[in-house]
Amino acid sequence: MIKDMQKEILRLKEQKDICILAHCYQGHEILEVADFVGDSYVLAKKAAEVKNKIVIMCGVRFMAETVKILSPDKTVILSNAEAGCPMAEQVKLEELKKFKEENANCAVVAYINTTAELKTLCDVCVTSASALKIVKAMPEKDILFIPDVNLGTYIKNNVEGKNIKLIDGGCPYHKTATAEDVARAKAAHPEALLLAHPECCSCVTEKADYIGSTTGIMDFAKKSDKKEFIIGTENSIVEHLQFDCPDKKFYPLTKNLVCHDMKLTTLGDVLDCCKGEGGEEIVLKEKTRLAAKACIDKMIAYGG
Ligand code: 13P
Ligand code: SF4
């Protein structure tokens, strides 16, 4: 049955000139029908490059918005209209306007996990994969980083010569991982390396053998000579790595690291989108799109 649905998706993709982009946190059966799978930096770059008329984004809303911002002539569909990243809306537009008025010397750096509307007020966007490189490359010394306090702290600790202000936002799931989780997982799996996403707090990243984006974590585990890994990011990565590396072992850092928004999209949703019956077409005002595009363009220019 799943195979039949996948076959039909592949047929419709071909017939209607559809490209499917999938974030690494999507289910295995969705990754199997995707044209490109990756972290948010990989997907943003692909968004600018793909030639198809229709793009279906299997991920969350800010990712689909990024595709529309970079490819306005394409029809961009978010695979499940309910799938949003709670972090993307943590800063209010009015709050950010006020901050900018009071701190005219500060550049505003936004994690890509923000709404298109918020991006219109930001100078540069970053992703977890590109943040250090971009902030190092920026000429501005005074920076407000929104909204993830953990990624912001990671940047602060690894970039010299900047004055970085943070706010208290962040991923509600990555934030749940604690020092106790690290101690418990390491005690249970003493040979395993800890691979962590910078959305985790420093009590986790300080103990990590590798810190990186979702694609970074997967690449590290695949290339490593080691055989066991504790995964400090969304637990779908544990499952995907097990498919890719059957000779290695992967353990979740904590059972709480499950993103309910990323889990919303089903293969049925993807099939409906291919039929033109489901998901939500992303529509942005041209003024918003152009203003938001400036900080994504800068991200790609600095990030390479
Ligand atoms: P990546 O940039 O590593 O894909 O992270 C996006 C995200 O939402 C992680 O929770
Ligand atoms: Fe947003 Fe966290 Fe889900 Fe990533 S894991 S999409 S940051 S809620």
Side-chain angles (χ1 to χ4, degrees):
M1 184 61 177
I2 289 283
K3 287 272 169 250
D4 294 337
M5 288 166 85
Q6 289 179 319
K7 234 164 123 185
E8 183 60 0
I9 290 170
L10 296 180
R11 189 188 71 75
L12 288 166
K13 239 164 43 115
E14 184 80 21
Q15 188 197 77
K16 298 188 174 182
D17 193 22
I18 296 172
C19 171
I20 298 181
L21 300 180
H23 187 267
C24 314
Y25 291 162
Q26 295 291 294
H28 187 76
E29 70 290 359
I30 293 174
L31 302 195
E32 284 183 333
V33 294
D35 296 277
F36 299 102
V37 175
D39 62 22
S40 38
Y41 194 69
V42 170
L43 296 178
K45 290 194 72 178
K46 284 292 167 211
E49 291 163 13
V50 294
K51 299 277 181 281
N52 312 67
K53 282 195 299 217
I54 302 172
V55 178
I56 298 173
M57 169 56 79
C58 302
V60 292
R61 183 169 295 270
F62 78 82
M63 295 176 176
E65 285 184 348
T66 305
V67 180
K68 189 65 184 177
I69 290 167
L70 294 173
S71 293
D73 299 333
K74 297 188 198 315
T75 302
V76 179
I77 313 284
L78 173 62
S79 53
N80 184 308
E82 296 292 312
C85 167
M87 180 167 23
E89 296 175 22
Q90 282 170 344
V91 178
K92 301 290 163 246
L93 204 63
E94 289 310 315
E95 268 172 9
L96 188 55
K97 274 186 191 159
K98 190 157 171 276
F99 178 88
K100 281 176 69 110
E101 277 163 23
E102 289 166 359
N103 297 272
N105 62 324
C106 266
V108 180
V109 179
Y111 193 16
I112 198 163
N113 300 38
T114 41
T115 62
E117 220 182 21
L118 268 179
K119 287 188 178 83
T120 63
L121 296 183
C122 299
D123 296 287
V124 192
C125 240
V126 301
T127 68
S128 56
S130 61
L132 295 184
K133 191 174 176 188
I134 292 170
V135 175
K136 279 179 190 165
M138 289 175 65
E140 294 91 345
K141 197 168 173 302
D142 296 309
I143 290 170
L144 171 72
F145 182 76
I146 61 160
D148 186 352
V149 70
N150 289 340
L151 179 60
T153 303
Y154 173 67
I155 298 169
K156 233 176 139 137
N157 293 342
N158 287 281
V159 180
E160 284 173 10
K162 305 277 182 192
N163 175 21
I164 303 177
K165 292 186 186 181
L166 305 175
I167 65 151
D168 190 22
C171 169
Y173 311 113
H174 283 81
K175 269 187 155 184
T176 62
T178 62
E180 289 71 36
D181 291 323
V182 174
R184 194 181 321 112
K186 279 182 175 269
H189 311 292
E191 298 301 318
L193 297 185
L194 171 61
L195 316 183
H197 197 281
E199 285 178 19
C200 294
C201 78
S202 51
C203 63
V204 172
T205 51
E206 274 164 5
K207 298 274 164 47
D209 299 285
Y210 172 83
I211 303 166
S213 72
T214 48
T215 295
I217 288 173
M218 291 188 76
D219 287 348
F220 183 95
K222 285 182 209 171
K223 287 183 192 143
S224 173
D225 298 334
K226 301 280 187 208
K227 293 286 179 206
E228 292 183 61
F229 304 88
I230 299 159
I231 302 300
T233 192
E234 215 278 339
N235 286 340
S236 54
I237 300 299
V238 174
E239 185 189 334
H240 298 324
L241 278 169
Q242 193 64 81
F243 271 103
D244 291 341
C245 312
D247 60 325
K248 298 182 179 180
K249 285 190 159 183
F250 302 95
Y251 314 106
L253 173 60
T254 153
K255 64 183 178 184
N256 298 327
L257 247 165
V258 176
C259 175
H260 302 297
D261 286 81
M262 282 284 185
K263 291 283 161 288
L264 280 176
T265 300
T266 63
L267 197 63
D269 290 336
V270 184
L271 180 54
D272 286 348
C273 290
C274 289
K275 288 179 183 164
E277 291 169 3
E280 179 184 321
E281 181 175 352
I282 300 295
V283 180
L284 296 174
K285 290 192 185 115
E286 188 59 2
K287 198 170 153 218
T288 307
R289 187 189 75 78
L290 285 174
K293 185 172 181 290
C295 73
I296 297 178
D297 285 345
K298 253 194 191 171
M299 170 182 88
I300 294 175
Y302 282 135

